[in-house]
């Protein structure tokens, strides 16, 4: 039997084989906070497919969760993102890859 969790307007369903995780609805800050540890725990094992076909919207916090989960284990991947969701994912990937500013030195 598949495992499901709902947080605000987002539902996360883990397939019986625990290798496919489907997200549906809106993955915003509140939903990401509620689902973060569960999604990351599944993704840490690697080989996880995160299915975004039923994800209607994502904000930058939700996208940060998805990008982090994809990077959490070897062979993890995302599929099925709408152009709108893919746009936010792309912007978050760029921001995370950018060099961090160096702190100002104080004398």
């Amino acid at each position: 039997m598949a495992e499901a969790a709902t947080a605000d307007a987002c539902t996360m369903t883990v397939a019986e084989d625990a290798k496919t995780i489907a997200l549906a609805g809106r993955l915003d800050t509140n939903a990401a906070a509620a689902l973060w540890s569960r999604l990351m725990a599944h993704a840490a094992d690697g080989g996880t497919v995160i299915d975004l076909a039923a994800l209607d919207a994502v904000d930058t916090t939700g996208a940060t969760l998805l990008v982090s989960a994809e990077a959490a284990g070897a062979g993890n991947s995302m599929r099925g993102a709408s152009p709108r969701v893919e746009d936010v994912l792309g912007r978050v990937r760029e921001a995370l890859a950018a060099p961090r500013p160096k702190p100002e030195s104080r004398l």
Side-chain angles (χ1 to χ4, degrees):
M1 181 161 186
E3 169 193 341
T6 300
D8 291 329
C10 188
T11 301
M12 181 178 102
T13 304
V14 180
E16 289 182 34
D17 66 2
K19 291 299 175 188
T20 302
I21 298 171
L23 294 168
R26 179 180 179 83
L27 185 58
D28 60 13
T29 300
N30 292 332
L35 297 174
W36 196 287
S37 60
R38 181 174 277 135
L39 179 55
M40 292 301 290
H42 283 287
D45 292 334
T48 301
V49 175
I50 305 166
D51 186 345
L52 307 178
L55 194 62
D56 300 323
V58 62
D59 67 9
T60 55
T61 304
T64 300
L65 169 57
L66 294 173
V67 170
S68 298
E70 183 179 43
N76 289 349
S77 63
M78 287 187 268
R79 71 172 182 212
S82 69
R84 192 167 143 191
V85 169
E86 190 57 53
D87 180 56
V88 179
L89 289 169
R91 285 186 279 134
V92 166
R93 283 185 184 110
E94 286 177 20
L96 292 173
R100 302 288 180 247
K102 294 182 181 180
E104 293 181 28
S105 60
R106 293 184 177 187
L107 299 175

